[in-house]
Amino acid sequence: MSARTVSTRRTATAVAGALLAAGALLSVSACGAGQISQTANQVAAVNGANQTFVDQKITLTDVHVLYPVSGSQGKLAFVLTNLNPQQGDKLKGITDEKGRAATISGDTTLTAGGSLYGTAPAGSNSKAADITRLTVTVPVDSTWRPGLTSKLWFHLEKAGSLPIDVPIDAGAASASAAGITVTGGEHAGEHGSGEGSGH
């Protein structure tokens, strides 16, 4: 075997090895880049529903009925935010699919660029200095089930009626353990301060 043949084979082997190493490196890099991208786009898990109403410049965040439910009423947690930095609004009421109104206690004025907070979810700081919470209860009947959603409408003076599908936060408990019972009638809960009408 000539020196020239040996040299050629060694060169070919070295080149092939370098190409394989480069391919493996690119593969690992691409895989890692994909993982970083996916992680960057993940949204933190929350208990409730989130909805942005772009035209109305309103967002509803972490909207859910708190566990446990007491009788035929459930406490409603939410953050209602006004994205308009120049114009305020007012929450006039909250109604369900049957037109029944929530009971709302507290100042429902929504300042420009401000937020309204519903009943404090478990684990939250309900006495934070910069947060004033409303006390809100909604009629809860047999149509509310853990794992399912029921539609509520948030009625605002300027932004109008904004629908959102709301879950009940009952954890691992069954519907019966969550205390869900049928309300006394179609108009249960209409004595509340909600002024919204229909959908």
Side-chain angles (χ1 to χ4, degrees):
M1 183 181 297
S2 69
R4 187 171 186 176
T5 305
V6 171
S7 175
T8 302
R9 285 184 180 174
R10 285 181 181 171
T11 303
T13 303
V15 169
L19 287 174
L20 285 173
L25 182 60
L26 285 173
S27 175
V28 170
S29 298
C31 180
Q35 289 176 349
I36 292 170
S37 176
Q38 290 167 8
T39 304
N41 291 330
Q42 286 178 351
V43 178
V46 292
N47 289 327
N50 303 297
Q51 184 77 39
T52 299
F53 300 91
V54 177
D55 293 341
Q56 293 86 354
K57 297 184 179 179
I58 294 289
T59 64
L60 280 163
T61 309
D62 202 15
V63 187
H64 63 286
V65 173
L66 301 177
Y67 172 81
V69 171
S70 176
S72 62
Q73 295 290 311
K75 293 180 179 178
L76 185 67
F78 63 85
V79 181
L80 172 64
T81 302
N82 183 3
L83 301 178
N84 191 328
Q86 299 175 337
Q87 178 177 275
D89 210 329
K90 187 178 182 70
L91 176 63
K92 298 179 65 179
I94 301 170
T95 57
D96 66 7
E97 293 177 290
K98 297 179 180 178
R100 299 173 300 185
T103 300
I104 304 174
S105 175
D107 184 2
T108 61
T109 300
L110 182 58
T111 59
S115 297
L116 287 175
Y117 296 82
T119 308
S124 65
N125 183 3
S126 60
K127 297 181 179 179
D130 58 340
I131 292 177
T132 301
R133 291 193 179 275
L134 303 171
T135 300
V136 183
T137 59
V138 293
V140 176
D141 58 26
S142 59
T143 63
W144 289 82
R145 287 282 188 248
L148 301 178
T149 61
S150 293
K151 194 175 291 294
L152 293 179
W153 276 261
F154 281 69
H155 304 283
L156 286 91
E157 195 170 73
K158 294 185 175 68
S161 298
L162 310 177
I164 185 167
D165 292 320
V166 180
I168 182 169
D169 180 24
S174 63
S176 58
I180 302 173
T181 56
V182 179
T183 53
E186 290 296 311
H187 303 288
E190 287 189 356
H191 58 278
S193 63
E195 299 172 23
S197 58
H199 317 160

